[in-house]
Structures are given as C-alpha cells and as structure tokens.
Amino acid sequence: MKDAVKTGVLSTRWKNLWTYNPNLSSNDYISRLPDSIIHDIISRLQKKEAVKTGVLSTRWKHLWTSNPNLTFGTFFDIRDDQQYASFVNKTLARYNSYNNKVRKFFLSCYLDIFDGEWLRFAIRHVVENLNLFLLDRNSPSNKICNLGLIDRTICFPYDEEYIRYQIPQDLYALSSLTHSGTTLCDHAPKAGVSWTSLKELYIGRAALTEDVIQRIFAGAPLLERLELYRCWGLNSIQVSSMSALKELVIRKWLDPHWRPRDILNLNTLIISIPNVKSLKLGGDCWQTKCMLLDASSLVEADLEFSLVAEDSLAISLVVKERDIQEYAAMVKKMLLRITSVCKLRVGPMFLRALSCSKEALPPPGWSLQHCKSLTLIT
C-alpha cells in the first residue's frame, strides 16, 4: 500500500491512480463515477431496471428516484391494475430530480385506472417529452369487416358517449414541451395554446375540430411533424404557408356518420399544405374521401390509404362500377396535386382505381418528371 501511494510523485497523471487499486476492498468504483454519468446511465433504463440499480452501491441506493426519464409501460401485467397504480404512485412520490424537471414522461395504461394526477405531476415538473397512451379495456378487436353484415359499432368504433380523457387546460400553457403524443385524449383548449418549443405532435383515437387544430398550429410555431391516427371530426386541415410544418401523417380517418356501401355519399377531408414537404395517407377502411387543395411543396408522398380493408380479396366497398369510377376520380385529382414529388409510393387501391378508369391515363397535366423513386404496393 505504501509503495502504491508513492507512485503519486511520478507524474501528474499518476498522482491519484493509487486510489484505484483493485486490491483495496474499500474501493467503490461505481460510486466514484461523476454525477453526470450516473444520471445518464439511469436515464437510459426502464423504470423497473432503474429501481434495481439501488443495489449496486450505497450511493446508488436512491439515485433511481432522480431519473428524469419516467417510463411506465407494460413491464407489469397490465391486468394487475392495483400493482401498476401503486408502482406509479410510489415512484412519483419519491421523485427527487436535482433540477425538479422531467425530461421524458411515458405512461401507457387502461383508461379506467388512469389517474389525472399522474399527468399533472408531469406538468408541474415541466416535462419536455410527453407520451400518454391510454387503452380502452372494452375495445372490440380489430377485424376485417364483412361489409354486408357489419353494424355501426364496428364501422365507427366510438359512439357519442364513448369516454375519453379530457386534457387539462394547464397542459396547453406548457412551453417546455418538445414532443407530445396522446391516445384516447380529447383536446379542447379554451384559450390560446403556448407550445412554443413543440416540434412533434401525435394524436390518436380522438375527436378534433377545425378550431382546435388551428389553435394548435397557431400556438406551436416550431411544429415540424403532425401525426393523426383514427381521428374524426374535421372536414379540413388547413396549414398556413407561414407554418413550420414539414411532415403530415394521417392514418385511418374516421367518420361517425359513415355507412357501408355508400361511397358516393362519403364526406370529404380537404387538405391544404402549401409548405409541407412530406405527406403520408395510410391505412385501410378510411371512412371519408380525401381532396388535396394545395400540396405545391411536396417532395415525398406516401398514398397507401384505401376505403376498404386492403387484405380483403373481395374489395367489398367498391363493388359497383359507379363506385370505382368515383374513387378513380378522387385518385386522379390527388395525382394532379403532387407533380413535384421526388419520391412517390402508392397502394393497391390507387392502382386498381386507375386501371378501371374509363378516362385517359395518365391524367392530362400529370407528370412524374421530378420523381426519382416510385414504389407500387400490390
């Protein structure tokens, strides 16, 4: 030991190296790590694994309580409601971040056990990345519909009394948000939205209005990506030419008034995105038609959506000649709006509609002179 200590005079680098002698049982190398490294290690772990780090050393015993990344996924059997809720409550009660902030808050559970105080905790701690994915315990499983037999509860999976969580008003004033994702949560800001740092927004299984979406656009000047999944209520999505939005993703747009075998009377979702660079319309069983008014800046378009179940060989919805011609007309109008794209991807319903069209192909005025990548999904 004395000789090891003496090595400290050899050079500046060797001055303290003797303290890392592996033969010294009293050395706790993990505890010697700088705080920044320890917090980084813990922040990369799931909450359950982060808790286990308390056994590594005395110093680490309670460090998991300061992990700024709070993830409450399905690491417990999600059917065990009491255990899940108890773990969330205890973790939040012990939270003791050095700067009192939450970097990431991810929570997925059944809606009927969700406690609004969990979200308010994240808001009080100035969360930056919020993901609140609520599940419906009684939701019917997704299935291919026999469109001759289905009823409204399967066509449109949510009736007027369907319970969804109402986002609290103080969330709309949370300027720290950079990323936000919610499922089964309705947005209804009563005042302005102040998401001045928000860059990505995901909304799933929710009712929307033109007023709500415009308030979000106005209050999120840095928003670059918007994804809507199985939403309804809007007749149009109008994005200002001054918006920073670069990518719009819409999957499985719904309509509460949709009826099978009624393609001619479908409502139309109107989309105007003058500055958006990337557009994706995906998923089968859309319950509205779609019209592009302005997509002059698009460089990438992914048009795989259809009005039927894509894996249904019968293609039940468009069985009539007038129906397929109506769909073909919609497809042609969309193609005329995306002539500047460099990358184009189209699905089987697009191809079928074009192949059955009675009018000239390609549509007059349509060109792919700028397209460098064309993918046909069959």
Side-chain angles (χ1 to χ4, degrees), residues 142-155:
N142 294 327
K143 58 185 72 176
I144 297 176
C145 303
N146 179 346
L147 294 177
L149 300 176
I150 58 177
D151 59 25
R152 182 175 183 275
T153 59
I154 297 179
C155 295

Side-chain angles (χ1 to χ4, degrees), residues 7 69 103 135 180 183 209 214 252 312 321 323 358 373:
T7 62
N69 293 345
R103 184 184 307 156
L135 310 174
S180 177
T183 297
T209 66
Q214 288 305 319
K252 297 190 177 183
S312 171
E321 176 67 18
D323 291 344
K358 294 181 178 180
S373 173

Side-chain angles (χ1 to χ4, degrees), residues 101-314:
K101 292 184 178 181
V102 170
R103 184 184 307 156
K104 178 180 179 181
F105 187 88
F106 177 96
L107 190 144
S108 176
C109 71
Y110 286 127
L111 176 60
D112 56 8
I113 68 169
F114 173 69
D115 187 340
E117 284 300 317
W118 299 343
L119 176 57
R120 294 187 182 92
F121 172 92
I123 295 173
R124 288 194 304 271
H125 289 77
V126 202
V127 64
E128 297 177 6
N129 189 328
L130 173 66
N131 293 277
L132 179 58
F133 298 134
L134 303 181
L135 310 174
D136 175 22
R137 195 185 300 272
N138 301 313
S139 174
S141 59
N142 294 327
K143 58 185 72 176
I144 297 176
C145 303
N146 179 346
L147 294 177
L149 300 176
I150 58 177
D151 59 25
R152 182 175 183 275
T153 59
I154 297 179
C155 295
F156 181 76
Y158 319 108
D159 57 32
E160 294 179 355
E161 298 180 353
Y162 189 81
I163 299 176
R164 297 178 299 278
Y165 177 68
Q166 297 293 321
I167 293 294
Q169 294 299 310
D170 47 356
L171 179 64
Y172 300 115
L174 194 62
S175 60
S176 62
L177 272 183
T178 59
H179 300 76
S180 177
T182 58
T183 297
L184 282 186
C185 299
D186 277 353
H187 293 264
K190 296 179 180 179
V193 174
S194 184
W195 289 342
T196 53
S197 302
L198 188 69
K199 292 188 175 181
E200 293 189 14
L201 176 62
Y202 170 93
I203 301 177
R205 302 178 186 266
L208 296 170
T209 66
E210 277 84 358
D211 178 67
V212 167
I213 206 72
Q214 288 305 319
R215 284 175 184 259
I216 290 176
F217 284 145
L222 301 182
L223 184 64
E224 297 179 352
R225 186 179 192 275
L226 172 64
E227 180 172 353
L228 305 175
Y229 172 70
R230 292 180 73 99
C231 293
W232 65 94
L234 289 175
N235 292 320
S236 67
I237 298 177
Q238 307 277 345
V239 181
S240 167
S241 60
M242 303 300 292
S243 171
L245 193 70
K246 301 302 180 186
E247 182 179 0
L248 175 63
V249 179
I250 304 176
R251 294 186 291 137
K252 297 190 177 183
W253 195 258
L254 303 179
D255 184 350
H257 306 294
W258 182 80
R259 294 292 184 275
R261 300 185 183 278
D262 198 15
I263 189 173
L264 290 180
N265 296 316
L266 288 180
N267 288 326
T268 300
L269 176 64
I270 299 173
I271 300 175
S272 179
I273 46 176
N275 277 357
V276 171
K277 303 297 184 183
S278 175
L279 173 67
K280 180 174 182 178
L281 304 177
D284 56 8
C285 290
W286 273 54
Q287 295 174 354
T288 64
K289 290 183 287 186
C290 189
M291 177 187 297
L292 289 180
L293 285 187
D294 187 349
S296 54
S297 297
L298 277 186
V299 295
E300 182 176 345
D302 190 335
L303 308 176
E304 292 186 68
F305 80 106
S306 68
L307 304 180
V308 300
E310 291 176 348
D311 41 7
S312 171
L313 297 179

Side-chain angles (χ1 to χ4, degrees), residues 32-51:
R32 289 178 179 273
L33 291 173
D35 288 348
S36 58
I37 294 180
I38 294 178
H39 283 109
D40 185 64
I41 292 173
I42 295 178
S43 68
R44 296 172 185 269
L45 302 175
Q46 294 286 339
K47 180 54 63 178
K48 190 175 182 180
E49 283 68 42
V51 173

